[in-house]
Structures are given as C-alpha cells and as structure tokens.
Amino acid sequence: MAVAGIAFFLLRPLRMRRLNRLGWLSPWPRELALFVFILFLAGLAGLTLFPSNLWSYVMQPNRYPEDVTFWSFYPTYPQIMERIDQLPQELPRIMTPFPYGLEWHFASYWFAFLFFGNICMFIPVGFFSALPWRKAHWWKSLCVGFFLSFFIEFVQFFINRGTDLDDLILNTLGALVGYWIYWLLRVLCPKQVSRFHCQSREGEVYHG
C-alpha cells in the first residue's frame, strides 16, 4: 500500500499538467477519493494476488522452518504446468455457479461470512469507479468489477488458491451495489457529489 501511495503522488503532477492543458482542475475531494481508491486496490491485491500464508511468513518468518523462503509459497514451474494440464478436468467445476446450491453458503457462520464478504469486498470498486470519474454508468462499474474479479480468479488458479465462478458473480454483484450507493448519493446530495468531479477554471463542473 505504501508503494501505491508513493506512486500516486509521483504521478500526480503528470495528471495535473494534463488536466491543465484541457482547462480543468481536479479539486481536493476528487484527489482524496482517487488516493483512497488506489490504496484500496493495493490492499485488495495484497489480499488476493499472493499465495496463502505468504504475509504470515513475511511478518513472522521465525515461525517457519529455516529452509522456508519467500519463494517457497509460490508454485514451481512443474506445478504450474500440472495445474494447466488439470484445467480440462477442473473447468466444469470452475464454470458451474453455486454447484452445491445457495443454501450451502449459509450452512455455517463462516460460509455466510465468506458469501457476504465477497460482495462487500467489491462495493468500493463499484463506488469509487463512479464517484470521481466522468460519465459514470452502472455498466461501467459492473465491467470494472467483473474484469478485476476475473483477473484475480485467473491469478489465483496458478498460485493454488480457490478459483470458482461463485466469487466472480458475487464480486461483480458487489461492484454493482457500490454503483447503486453512488447513484443514491448523487440523487440525494447532488451538490456534494459534484465536488468530486473535475471543474473548469471558471468553476463549471465537468460531467464529461
């Protein structure tokens, strides 16, 4: 997350110069929203795009045997090729939505937590992909959530983490919920929401 924050501030002058050339200004609420979104995406990447127990090793390496290294948590090339060979057999399972039925996700508190967690985790994706950007539409937030979730599931297949269609559906639904929250705020508090949009030098709000 620190790297993402540093990259945001390093690239900010380039974005400001581009907006200036176009005659627009990015107010501080918009910059804050972008910064929070970048930090969230960095945290999401850290949570989903790395092997299980890797961060536990990074934080407390003494808990693991001496021969365990950072790269021990990543699959080897033969293991990756084996996963690819197994793909035809696993594809029917991966592509079947809710194979055990929705009731399976509520068989225990932990399963229910994972079910709603997959939705809630992507609510900020849908919300922040609409709030500071021009021409916000529900289908754009839905596409952002879908392709981001698809990328995560694709990577997780090769690092021995769970991959299934359920997560993709729930993540995409979460992004859509995030857009609905943005839409509701735009209807109820249009002036406050407009503060997160680019403005012309004369103070006109840029809606795209």
Side-chain angles (χ1 to χ4, degrees):
M1 293 179 69
V3 174
I6 293 172
F8 175 85
F9 286 107
L10 289 178
L11 295 175
R12 187 172 182 271
L14 297 176
R15 293 192 301 105
M16 294 300 101
R17 283 199 292 269
R18 178 179 177 275
L19 287 174
N20 287 334
R21 287 196 302 268
L22 297 174
W24 298 102
L25 300 174
S26 182
W28 72 263
R30 182 176 187 271
E31 291 299 301
L32 179 61
L34 291 174
F35 181 66
V36 171
F37 190 32
I38 292 298
L39 292 184
F40 169 79
L41 291 177
L44 182 64
L47 182 66
T48 60
L49 297 180
F50 293 88
S52 301
N53 299 320
L54 175 64
W55 297 119
S56 174
Y57 168 79
V58 171
M59 299 299 296
Q60 296 180 308
N62 295 332
R63 294 178 53 190
Y64 293 83
E66 294 183 358
D67 59 338
V68 174
T69 67
F70 181 89
W71 300 108
S72 299
F73 296 88
Y74 285 90
T76 62
Y77 177 76
Q79 290 173 330
I80 293 176
M81 296 307 298
E82 182 179 357
R83 289 288 287 168
I84 294 175
D85 292 338
Q86 294 173 348
L87 184 58
Q89 290 76 32
E90 293 197 33
L91 199 57
R93 176 192 62 81
I94 294 174
M95 297 303 297
T96 302
F98 307 108
Y100 305 110
L102 281 175
E103 62 276 7
W104 181 85
H105 290 277
F106 299 94
S108 69
Y109 289 115
W110 176 245
F111 289 166
F113 172 79
L114 294 177
F115 181 89
F116 289 109
N118 274 307
I119 296 175
C120 295
M121 185 169 58
F122 266 64
I123 289 178
V125 174
F127 181 79
F128 284 106
S129 63
L131 180 64
W133 304 105
R134 54 183 177 172
K135 295 183 178 179
H137 293 288
W138 67 267
W139 61 267
K140 290 185 178 181
S141 293
L142 185 143
C143 287
V144 170
F146 174 84
F147 286 109
L148 179 59
S149 179
F150 180 86
F151 175 74
I152 290 172
E153 295 299 315
F154 178 80
V155 173
Q156 287 185 343
F157 178 81
F158 294 100
I159 57 175
N160 296 326
R161 295 188 58 169
T163 299
D164 54 55
L165 191 58
D166 296 8
D167 291 350
L168 182 62
I169 294 173
L170 297 175
N171 292 162
T172 305
L173 176 60
L176 193 57
V177 171
Y179 176 83
W180 287 339
I181 295 174
Y182 158 78
W183 178 85
L184 184 62
L185 289 176
R186 188 179 65 181
V187 171
L188 298 177
C189 312
K191 291 185 178 180
Q192 284 72 20
V193 171
S194 67
R195 298 176 62 194
F196 293 89
H197 297 160
C198 285
Q199 299 178 354
S200 70
R201 297 182 184 276
E202 292 75 23
E204 177 187 354
V205 177
Y206 180 38
H207 297 289

